[in-house]
């Protein structure tokens, strides 16, 4: 399959590498002027946890193909769209007239209505998923992170379309395990709230991994999350449908914090995924949007209210 990844970020780069390793043709669209900045090679230092839970280290320069134009008559079969959530609507609007006959995999975090955010794109050509990878790009341009074995999928129809089935098979044949979510919108919102709880604490305390390794900060982050779960429920999400996703954060904060510290110790990929600095603009935007929704729904979130002096700066 010929695949275009939108942007050369942490997520698109890791999945682009994995899909190329599986035999597919992979290229990246970048903004005009960025190809020279990025250069033709990306240095990887990854833990690939698809086949081994402790991860297989990948440390190598990876030649990549970048392009700064996207004509409407291209021959890409799949376009992967994964950008910071606050940039998604702009990216979708830009991409809409350039989709051609490609399937667009929406591989993104959302707090707004996902279908509304993607309304500029042709609905019949969309597939919906969510990545499980993390990391950061260092000052030297090296991608350091981890790629996990699981990829999340959902659909906004009654059953996956033919295009969505093809995308699922692409990932399955590339070494990933698939997890389906019947209430994908609810799952996305729940995930957004959980990561926002960590962001709210990390903006004051450093990287997410630093928050997790500190008993005090870890408990504070869990208390943030417990507040925000009430916001998700108030949006109409059936929490019992996503009980496994929120189970850890419904435990007493000391116990949840202990479990997170244990996970960092026993899972090198988990540690690598969260070790780098947070994306500050994304973290602040998440906090601002969740706080606004809590206020709209009249849900008390005193911890997030108290943290606004940090993320509204």
């Amino acid at each position: 399959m010929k695949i275009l990844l939108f942007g050369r970020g942490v997520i698109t780069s890791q999945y682009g590498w994995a899909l190329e390793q599986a035999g597919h043709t992979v290229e990246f669209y970048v903004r005009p002027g960025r190809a020279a900045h990025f250069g033709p090679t990306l240095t990887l230092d990854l833990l690939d946890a698809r086949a081994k839970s402790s991860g297989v280290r990948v440390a190598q320069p990876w030649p990549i193909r970048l392009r700064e134009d996207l004509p409407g008559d291209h021959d890409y079969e799949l376009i992967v769209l994964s950008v910071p959530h606050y940039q998604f609507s702009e990216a979708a609007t830009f991409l809409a007239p350039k989709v051609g006959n490609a399937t667009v995999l929406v591989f993104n975090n959302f707090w707004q209505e996902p279908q509304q955010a993607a309304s500029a794109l042709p609905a019949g050509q969309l597939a919906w998923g969510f990545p499980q990878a993390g990391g950061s790009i260092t000052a030297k341009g090296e991608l350091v992170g981890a790629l996990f074995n699981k990829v999340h999928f959902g659909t906004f129809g009654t059953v996956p379309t033919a295009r969505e089935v093809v995308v699922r098979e692409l990932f399955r044949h590339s070494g990933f395990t698939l997890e389906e979510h019947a209430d994908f919108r609810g799952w996305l919102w729940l995930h957004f709230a959980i990561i926002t709880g960590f962001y709210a604490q990390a903006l004051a305390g450093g990287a997410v991994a630093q928050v997790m390794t500190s008993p005090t900060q870890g408990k504070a982050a869990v208390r943030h999350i417990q507040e925000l779960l009430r916001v998700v429920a108030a949006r109409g999400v059936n929490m019992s449908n996503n009980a496994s996703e929120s189970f850890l954060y419904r435990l007493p904060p000391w116990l949840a914090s202990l479990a997170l510290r244990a996970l960092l110790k026993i899972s090198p990929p988990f540690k690598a995924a969260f070790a780098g600095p947070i994306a500050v603009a994304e973290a602040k935007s998440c906090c601002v949007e969740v706080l606004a929704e809590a206020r709209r729904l009249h849900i008390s979130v005193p911890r997030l209210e108290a943290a606004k002096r940090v993320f509204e700066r």
Side-chain angles (χ1 to χ4, degrees), residues 15 105 151 153 167-176 178:
Y15 281 96
L105 172 59
V151 178
F153 286 100
V167 172
R168 284 157 170 74
E169 290 306 306
L170 167 72
F171 279 84
R172 193 191 314 277
H173 292 151
S174 298
F176 294 95
L178 313 186

Side-chain angles (χ1 to χ4, degrees), residues 63-82:
I64 56 176
R65 291 180 291 275
L66 305 174
R67 64 178 305 161
E68 297 179 344
D69 66 321
L70 185 57
D73 60 350
H74 63 75
D75 60 349
Y76 294 109
E77 298 164 83
L78 177 67
I79 299 174
V80 180
L81 181 55
S82 182

Side-chain angles (χ1 to χ4, degrees), residues 120-304:
L121 297 166
Q125 292 176 232
L126 301 185
W128 296 86
F130 190 85
Q132 283 228 247
S136 61
I137 296 177
T138 69
K140 295 181 178 181
E142 182 180 35
L143 198 166
V144 179
L147 180 67
F148 294 91
N149 70 324
K150 189 179 293 184
V151 178
H152 299 271
F153 286 100
T155 184
F156 289 99
T158 52
V159 295
T161 65
R163 287 177 181 263
E164 290 179 306
V165 170
V166 169
V167 172
R168 284 157 170 74
E169 290 306 306
L170 167 72
F171 279 84
R172 193 191 314 277
H173 292 151
S174 298
F176 294 95
T177 300
L178 313 186
E179 182 167 337
E180 292 282 346
H181 297 278
D183 176 17
F184 195 47
R185 181 186 70 166
W187 184 88
L188 287 168
W189 286 352
L190 178 58
H191 179 273
F192 194 102
I194 290 170
I195 194 61
T196 298
F198 282 113
Y199 281 156
Q201 189 61 35
L203 281 167
V208 171
Q210 289 176 292
V211 170
M212 291 179 180
T213 55
S214 163
T216 301
Q217 290 194 51
K219 286 186 288 186
V222 172
R223 291 189 179 103
H224 270 296
I225 293 166
Q226 290 175 344
E227 281 187 353
L228 302 186
L229 293 181
R230 297 198 297 269
V231 182
V232 177
R235 297 187 98 187
V237 175
N238 185 335
M239 301 299 281
S240 62
N241 289 344
N242 296 288
S244 61
E245 184 74 11
S246 61
F247 170 76
L248 175 63
Y249 306 103
R250 290 184 280 110
L251 297 174
W254 70 267
L255 183 56
S257 175
L258 179 64
L260 289 168
R261 295 198 303 277
L263 187 56
L264 281 174
K265 286 184 179 179
I266 65 174
S267 174
F270 188 76
K271 184 176 181 179
F274 293 105
I278 61 171
V280 174
E282 172 77 354
K284 288 184 175 183
S285 180
C286 288
C287 292
V288 167
E289 291 185 29
V290 174
L291 179 58
E293 182 71 353
R295 289 171 173 174
R296 186 185 73 83
L297 295 169
H298 306 292
I299 304 298
S300 176
V301 287
R303 291 182 175 276
L304 194 59

